[in-house]
Amino acid sequence: MADAKLKPKSVDGTEPHGAGNSPQETASTVEVMPPPDAIEPDPELTPEEAEQARKRYLLKRFWISARRYWGRGGDKFAWPFSIGLLAMICMNVGFQYGINLWNRGIFDAIERHDAGTVYFLSGVFVPLVLGTVAIITIQVAVRMMIQRRWRSWLTTAVIARWLANGRYYQLNLIGGDHKNPEARISEDLRIATEAPVDFVAGVISAFLAASTFIVVLWTIGGALTLPIAGFTVTIPGFLVITAVLYAAITSTSMAVIGRYFVHVSEAKNQAEAEFRYTLTHVRENGESIALLGGEEEERNDLDKTFTNVLKQWALLARQHMRTTVVSHGSMLIAPVVPVLLCAPKFLEGSMTLGQVMQAASAFAIVQGAFGWLVDNYPRLADWNACARRIASLMMSLDGLERAEQSDSLGRIKHGETEGEAMLSLNDLSVSLDDGTAVVTETRVEIEPGERVLVSGESGSGKSTLVRAIAGLWPWGGGSVNFHADRRLFMLPQRPYIPSGTLRRAVAYPGAADSWPLDEIKSALDKVGLDYLNDKIEEDAPWDQTLSGGEKQRLAFARLLLHQPDIIVLDEATAALDEKSQDKMMQMVIDELPEVTILSVAHRAELEVFHSRKITLERREGGAKLVSDIDLIKRKRKRNLLSRVLEKRRSPPKSSTTADKAAQPPNRN
């Protein structure tokens, strides 16, 4: 949870970042279409059939978003680059055909001992090679350009959806297959966008090469006549038939041997992601682990996770070994087959040496084209697994987005207050994503300059209420309203410290150069971090270096820089001692006397810094606001709940007193 949640303007009063043709804005135009409808599995399917149906839909879900790169709102260079790649492939096949003819010419000249032709063709070979290298180089450049731009476009779109409306946080609150979203967005999405471009380019190249050189094989090979049991059998286009049969055998063998490749590759990627997550978790919580002496337990957990990685790698290695037998064997046998088949015709004089070598070259090209699956099946399996993982994340985001557009579970509304109130909660109810109530029917109105303390026992829903106010918790009912054009700043219990310099950490979420250096140093002085002023431009792992108390002090320094209108403190002084806590609270009151404060805390000592206290009480049907009292007497409009509670605490009036109260005043 970030320190600041800004509504409706950024904390420095400017418009939100992303104006203009930024990648973020481009992504926002990509995902304007509503998420696909949820697909429920057929209840009559067996568990195995349902799982297969789910995997098929995951690939479909990936393409629903990925193909928009070539559609309206996609990259304007998508089609020009794609057409350019197709042109390069066609030209490359043309150069392959030229080299194939060159093979025939050079070997025929050698067979005839024609030195002039050999020298001439030797000179022709140089431009053929240079042209082929140039075309392939340009083809690689264009192909990788498409991959890079497609990845950039889709990554930006997924990140935009992931960060929108706090969904990156809400994913932690719901079930689903979306663990380790950072690995899915970085690694899985890279493979999911690189491989299809390679596959499409490979298929087109293989099709054009096969079509071109099958004609060559048919033309130069002709028919083969074989004497069998006193009869002569003529096989037309025998080289073509042999090439097709050979490719069919190798491809079928690969499909049978590698049929579990997709499942094993997917399991390996999942195991790798879990291992990375475990390592990251240890790094991020290194201080707590070190203080508790939990290294041995963490080592056991890492060993367990890494053992699963090695297990999945062993299974994948077996699949690679099996497919290598087919692919490597095919690579060794393919060049020999056409030479053996053409040998009888060469020996009888019906084929020249040049034709034999041309046939061998064409056969190898056709075999390579037909054997595309043999060479790329492992990569295809890896892509399959990665595309499903990124699609699983997309589906979880789809669910959150549909929930935002639906009232089936109820959504907390956000709007503007009426009058001068800075913040109002109107019949606010907070629930889980399954509808279970956490906080029910809360009505609170906070006026400008009020300092309100929210108290209650642990588990009563105080922090959940704060998340609902911040807009991070969407489920529930009622509304949260802020005064128009006022700036909200939140201080959570664990302040976020970004990477980079200390200056950037203090200025966050603003830019590091948004304030002069002297102003930033002054803010650090006021929160008792003046000893860090000499290191303010130092780029260091401050999240690991600063203590919990120093991080909370730094968060208060941010308040002095941003000077918001409303502050929400969620146990923001829990890591400070009582004296430091008092100093921070008094500093806020002195430096920002007009600011409105909403605090969530357990410490009773904080009451002295607040003008009002509301109490939540945990109950079976959800926590309720049971009291709303003034800590400092002041004239203000009491809300309905306060009047009801006050009336309940007051003793009933006697009838005589009530009658006297009902009589009009004596005007004499």
Side-chain angles (χ1 to χ4, degrees):
M1 181 175 175
D3 288 283
K5 185 72 175 181
L6 310 176
K7 296 179 182 181
K9 289 186 176 181
S10 64
V11 85
D12 57 0
T14 60
E15 292 300 320
H17 295 295
N21 297 324
S22 65
Q24 288 77 7
E25 184 182 37
T26 303
S28 66
T29 63
V30 173
E31 294 292 342
V32 294
M33 296 180 65
D37 294 333
I39 304 297
E40 297 295 335
D42 190 339
E44 297 182 359
L45 294 177
T46 64
E48 293 77 12
E49 293 172 337
E51 178 63 15
Q52 291 300 319
R54 185 188 73 86
K55 290 182 176 181
R56 287 193 297 269
Y57 177 75
L58 286 175
L59 293 181
K60 178 181 178 182
R61 176 62 190 91
F62 171 78
W63 284 115
I64 288 174
S65 290
R67 70 190 180 195
R68 294 179 189 171
Y69 174 73
W70 285 272
R72 183 179 299 178
D75 187 351
K76 61 182 179 181
F77 294 107
W79 280 108
F81 278 125
S82 300
I83 294 172
L85 178 61
L86 178 61
M88 293 299 105
I89 292 173
C90 293
M91 293 177 67
N92 184 38
V93 173
F95 272 93
Q96 281 184 313
Y97 180 68
I99 292 176
N100 182 258
L101 292 177
W102 181 89
N103 272 321
R104 175 175 177 173
I106 192 72
F107 281 101
D108 280 343
I110 291 173
E111 184 181 27
R112 297 192 306 268
H113 302 283
D114 187 349
T117 303
V118 170
Y119 294 144
F120 171 75
L121 290 177
S122 298
V124 171
F125 184 70
V126 175
L128 279 176
V129 171
L130 293 177
T132 302
V133 171
I135 291 298
I136 291 178
T137 302
I138 297 173
Q139 179 181 326
V140 170
V142 174
R143 173 174 56 80
M144 296 188 72
M145 178 69 73
I146 295 173
Q147 291 171 327
R148 186 172 69 252
R149 295 182 69 90
W150 189 19
R151 180 191 179 187
S152 173
W153 180 89
L154 189 56
T155 299
T156 304
V158 173
I159 289 177
R161 294 188 66 207
W162 182 52
L163 294 178
N165 301 327
R167 293 174 194 152
Y168 61 94
Y169 173 77
Q170 295 166 13
L171 286 176
N172 300 321
L173 310 176
I174 63 174
D177 182 17
H178 50 255
K179 292 188 298 183
N180 308 325
E182 63 280 357
R184 297 171 191 255
I185 294 174
S186 60
E187 185 65 15
D188 293 321
L189 200 149
R190 177 186 66 81
I191 297 174
T193 51
E194 283 184 0
V197 179
D198 290 336
F199 295 155
V200 171
V203 168
I204 294 175
S205 179
F207 174 78
L208 293 177
S211 302
T212 301
F213 289 98
I214 279 177
V215 174
V216 173
L217 288 177
W218 189 281
T219 302
I220 64 175
L224 179 64
T225 301
L226 297 174
I228 300 177
F231 298 93
T232 57
V233 178
T234 302
I235 305 175
F238 72 101
L239 290 177
V240 175
I241 294 174
T242 303
V244 172
L245 288 176
Y246 186 85
I249 292 172
T250 54
S251 298
T252 302
S253 301
M254 177 62 74
V256 173
I257 292 174
R259 62 186 181 276
Y260 299 116
F261 225 123
V262 174
H263 173 72
V264 173
S265 182
E266 187 173 11
K268 186 269 296 182
N269 289 348
Q270 179 65 31
E272 292 279 13
E274 291 177 358
F275 183 55
R276 284 194 301 270
Y277 175 79
T278 305
L279 291 170
T280 303
H281 185 72
V282 172
R283 177 180 58 80
E284 292 178 345
N285 297 275
E287 182 179 1
S288 298
I289 295 171
L291 291 174
L292 294 172
E295 292 84 359
E296 188 64 28
E297 181 63 25
E298 294 299 328
R299 177 62 181 269
N300 292 336
D301 191 28
L302 287 171
D303 287 344
K304 179 181 177 182
T305 309
F306 188 58
T307 298
N308 186 38
V309 172
L310 296 179
K311 176 183 176 182
Q312 299 303 326
W313 261 109
L315 294 175
L316 187 63
R318 295 175 190 173
Q319 293 293 326
H320 274 290
M321 290 168 61
R322 294 168 183 167
T323 55
T324 300
V325 171
V326 178
S327 61
H328 197 69
S330 172
M331 180 183 66
L332 294 175
I333 297 174
V336 179
V337 172
V339 174
L340 296 178
L341 291 174
C342 293
K345 302 189 75 171
F346 173 75
L347 294 175
E348 70 181 18
S350 59
M351 287 185 72
T352 65
L353 178 61
Q355 289 177 318
V356 172
M357 300 311 296
Q358 184 184 17
S361 174
F363 187 92
I365 294 174
V366 171
Q367 173 55 32
F370 279 123
W372 180 86
L373 176 64
V374 175
D375 298 328
N376 290 274
Y377 194 85
R379 286 199 64 200
L380 181 63
D382 198 28
W383 169 83
N384 209 316
C386 292
R388 287 173 180 171
R389 280 176 52 79
I390 192 64
S392 296
L393 176 60
M394 289 178 175
M395 286 182 63
S396 295
L397 295 174
D398 292 343
L400 290 174
E401 193 169 346
R402 280 191 293 267
E404 292 167 6
Q405 302 168 3
S406 172
D407 295 328
S408 58
L409 285 177
R411 305 285 295 185
I412 298 172
K413 299 178 181 178
H414 293 265
E416 298 180 357
T417 58
E418 298 178 358
E420 295 299 321
M422 294 293 285
L423 170 65
S424 66
L425 311 180
N426 297 331
D427 295 324
L428 178 65
S429 298
V430 183
S431 62
L432 302 179
D433 62 326
D434 60 0
T436 303
V438 178
V439 180
T440 60
E441 299 178 357
T442 302
R443 289 181 60 86
V444 174
E445 187 173 288
I446 301 176
E447 298 177 4
E450 277 197 299
R451 302 190 295 273
V452 181
L453 177 64
V454 181
S455 64
E457 61 181 345
S458 297
S460 59
K462 301 186 300 299
S463 294
T464 305
L465 181 63
V466 169
R467 296 185 183 103
I469 292 173
L472 296 179
W473 195 289
W475 305 290
S479 64
V480 177
N481 303 311
F482 293 92
H483 194 291
D485 299 326
R486 293 298 189 268
R487 295 166 300 173
L488 170 68
F489 203 97
M490 297 198 64
L491 268 66
Q493 183 175 356
R494 297 177 59 186
Y496 171 66
I497 308 298
S499 60
T501 64
L502 183 62
R503 180 175 183 172
R504 182 186 178 220
V506 180
Y508 190 87
D513 56 358
S514 297
W515 291 271
L517 189 60
D518 291 342
E519 194 170 344
I520 294 179
K521 289 183 177 181
S522 176
L524 290 176
D525 289 341
K526 292 177 181 179
V527 299
L529 296 178
D530 51 296
Y531 55 87
L532 294 176
N533 281 337
D534 294 338
K535 301 180 180 179
I536 199 166
E537 296 290 1
E538 184 176 328
D539 192 337
W542 294 109
D543 186 53
Q544 305 296 324
T545 304
L546 299 177
S547 67
E550 288 174 323
K551 292 177 184 178
Q552 290 192 339
R553 288 174 181 269
L554 186 145
F556 277 94
R558 292 172 181 169
L559 292 180
L560 302 180
L561 296 179
H562 292 285
Q563 297 189 352
D565 301 292
I566 309 173
I567 302 173
V568 179
L569 308 176
D570 183 11
E571 300 285 358
T573 60
L576 299 174
D577 59 85
E578 185 176 339
K579 183 178 179 180
S580 299
Q581 172 184 267
D582 294 347
K583 181 179 179 180
M584 290 300 102
M585 295 301 299
Q586 190 61 49
M587 182 270 301
V588 172
I589 294 172
D590 294 340
E591 297 290 334
L592 305 171
E594 302 298 325
V595 74
T596 302
I597 299 177
L598 179 65
S599 297
V600 172
H602 289 92
R603 293 180 176 178
E605 298 86 356
L606 286 171
E607 291 186 6
V608 70
F609 301 103
H610 295 81
S611 58
R612 182 175 165 196
K613 178 181 177 181
I614 60 178
T615 304
L616 287 174
E617 183 178 286
R618 184 171 55 186
R619 295 185 176 180
E620 185 175 346
K624 290 183 178 294
L625 199 159
V626 295
S627 70
D628 185 352
I629 61 174
D630 285 332
L631 299 175
I632 300 176
K633 296 298 182 181
R634 57 181 298 176
K635 294 180 180 180
R636 63 177 178 85
K637 182 180 178 181
R638 300 299 298 271
N639 60 52
L640 177 61
L641 176 62
S642 300
R643 296 197 297 271
V644 171
L645 292 172
E646 184 175 330
K647 184 176 180 180
R648 289 180 179 177
R649 291 194 295 266
S650 301
K653 297 179 180 180
S654 63
S655 59
T656 304
T657 305
D659 292 340
K660 290 180 180 179
Q663 293 177 0
N666 188 351
R667 299 183 182 276
N668 295 332

